[in-house]
Amino acid sequence: MLNETVVTLQGWVGGDVSLRQAGEAQVASFRLGSTPRRFSRRSGEWVDGETQWFTVNAWRGLAENVAASVHRGDPVVVHGRMNASTWVSNTGVEVISLEVDATFVGHDLARGTSVFTKTPRTAPPRAEGEPESSTTAAA
């Protein structure tokens, strides 16, 4: 698609990951808090800015991997398409909600270590009587 806003965010998982069914696909969602940090020349110290909150949605296979791997408090890096939606709260206040449809999600290894487990690939179903090929056996 043209003119999509693609972003890479670094932050901390602010709550539990929820996994739900959306039609034929699974989607995992979590809140990501990102706090900018800048050096203040005036005080000579690092100063935290205002935390920005994003809802991250991961779909299909990524959803399952995120639900199994990402937990509240984890430092993560997220890459995906940014969407902004405007709605009116119960109190009548207009709210802008920022959501990211994630393409990639991973632990921020600048903040710690992680262990990777490769997801096994499933072979496409074979026709009855079809011999197993060497490429299917290797997968």
Side-chain angles (χ1 to χ4, degrees), residues 6-66:
V6 180
V7 296
T8 301
L9 303 170
Q10 180 277 326
W12 301 85
V13 178
D16 295 330
V17 176
S18 69
L19 184 64
R20 69 183 190 284
Q21 195 70 28
E24 297 287 319
Q26 287 197 314
V27 60
S29 298
F30 63 91
R31 297 283 286 162
L32 174 75
S34 182
T35 305
R37 197 164 168 82
R38 292 175 175 66
F39 186 77
S40 169
R41 289 184 187 178
R42 179 179 299 154
S43 68
E45 297 176 337
W46 287 93
V47 179
D48 287 343
E50 185 175 337
T51 300
Q52 299 170 357
W53 289 94
F54 304 88
T55 297
V56 177
N57 298 310
W59 294 84
R60 298 172 190 77
L62 179 58
E64 295 172 18
N65 293 342
V66 165

Side-chain angles (χ1 to χ4, degrees), residues 4 21 33 93 105 138:
E4 289 184 331
Q21 195 70 28
V93 176
V105 176

